[in-house]
Amino acid sequence: MAALSSEFGDLVQIKKQLIYVITLCRERGLVHSVKWASELAFALTPLPMNELPPPPPFTEEDAQDLDVLSLAKSYFDLKEYDRAAYFLRGCRSQKAYFLYMYSRYLSGEKKKDDETVDSLGPLEKGQVRNEALRELRVELSKKHQAGELDGFTLYLYGVVLRKLDLLKEAVDVFVEATHALPLHWGAWLELCNLITNIEMLKALSLPDCWIRDFFLAHMYTELQMIKEALQKYQSLIDAGFSKSTYIISQIAVAYHNIRDIDQALSLFNELREQDTFSTYVRSMKPELSYLAHNLVEIDKYRVETCCVIGNYYSLRSQHEKAALYFQRALKLNPRCLGAWTLMGHEYMEMKNTSAAIQAYRHAIEVNKRDYRAWYGLGQTYEILKMPFYCLYYYRRAHQLRPNDSRMLVALGECYEKLSQQVEAKKCYWRAYSVGDVERMALLKLAKLHEQLNESDEAAHCYIIYIQDIFSSVEHVEHVEVSTALRYLGQYYFKNKRYDEASLCAQRCCDYNDAREEGKALLRQISQVRDQGEASSADLSLPCVFGSLSNNNTPVRRVSPLDLSSVTP
């Protein structure tokens, strides 16, 4: 991993650069880049008056366009993009030209988003497009070839190319934009959304600027390289950004990605004390209720407020109300990734699969690395009994989260339905090996072996499953323990291991659904023993409860399939 840029030695210079780029972005209506740079600048020590940077240079062309630009910017700020563009046509300054093209782009996006959000429901329309994109591409392409685009218009050109799915060209233009104007975070962020793997990241020729370290940290998080991301963020904190709420929130997201929920929650709660809208949702109804009431008092018409209320209603299984609040969030911000994904979940609960598919697809359009949306699409097509589609979407989710057992279990189930048992076995064992959060992988693997009459392998899996359940630090009530005990009781009995069979039968009596079978097996064992038949000692399997008496945790290294190193 590369060391931090040497420029971090001069935090005063970084502060000056941030103040300078804030002014440039604000003049062009790039509010998200203004917000990011402002939050970062706020984390650094204030500058004395004599150290403040001078305003950006003012050209003759800027002077000529000053009145028009002032009027158009007022319309732009009020989201009257068509009026802004009308007055800006014919202006000659770089600033006015960017605002003219950006207004046309945003006008098309606004019309598209309004139609998209309004169309959600039982009767969805086809995918809505921004009609301005093709014209903008033609005009910007000519300027690009003539070398007349500055850092901001290069950024806009890249956005247009990305929206038209010209992704390779978009990457090249965004890299060019970062070289032309390294301090514009928007270009770096757009680049993040297009990089699919670490090889692609390493192949990029990026400017040597301090902002690149923020980009790399963000990229590591997105590519699930959490260890590298946390190291990079820690080095940024050590470099002088310890007060940055942005960095703390990114670290919390990184912990959430590796399912360290308590650590993530602790950081988000710390942020809430500094920043009201740094919200995080977890399945804790009282806390969520408090958070929802708290946010409504502050501002009920915020995206974050709507999402929290939607989550609260979802937890209460009031799915229609939940979907309504997620739709409200999307009317406020149609690019809100979480709201699209969560609304997909609600439509799934309401059995409206077509609306769920549309919502998940919109989430993927916002961010192609949203594994939850790919996974949601897989679940939707599973309901529709379309296993080949389902397999494609689960594979995409697995590629994004290779060590998430839920993706692997879903893939295994899919392979089972397609009668690809060998692949299914690999997926279930891999899911167990990476840490099965839902404790279902071994069960499914055991049942698959059972169906294929592979009794020894099935017994191995049931043994490891039961040992895992009973040796867990938490007391786990698992519905399938009786299934495993029933099978093992019969298995040991058939192999004349009567002591072990008796143990399993006795434990079966602890479960309502297995009690009668347990009693019946005990009677069979008693009859066999009365006839003087001896137990066999030849079976290579261990006793299911043998290791538990010594409070040992079962060893994971022994694989019944010898597939521990295989990734599907």
Side-chain angles (χ1 to χ4, degrees), residues 171-242:
V171 169
D172 294 339
V173 171
F174 283 130
V175 169
E176 196 180 336
T178 60
H179 280 277
L181 186 68
L183 298 173
H184 178 213
W185 178 242
W188 293 96
L189 207 53
E190 286 288 348
L191 196 53
C192 278
N193 293 331
L194 296 176
I195 295 168
T196 53
N197 54 56
I198 188 64
E199 289 75 23
M200 189 175 172
L201 177 62
K202 286 177 179 175
L204 293 178
S205 173
L206 299 171
D208 186 16
C209 175
W210 59 266
I211 205 169
R212 186 176 67 169
D213 290 296
F214 284 89
F215 165 75
L216 289 173
H218 186 95
M219 247 356 290
Y220 292 148
T221 308
E222 290 287 300
L223 295 173
Q224 305 301 318
M225 297 166 63
I226 304 303
K227 182 183 174 186
E228 292 85 349
L230 291 172
Q231 285 176 350
K232 183 67 84 173
Y233 281 125
Q234 187 56 52
S235 61
L236 287 168
I237 287 171
D238 296 341
F241 290 93
S242 57

Side-chain angles (χ1 to χ4, degrees), residues 10 97 122 193 208 243 249 295 303 315 431 469 497 532 556 566 568:
D10 191 352
Y97 179 71
N193 293 331
D208 186 16
K243 295 178 183 175
S249 66
L295 293 181
V303 174
L315 270 182
I469 292 293
R497 292 273 294 264
R556 290 173 181 258
V566 180

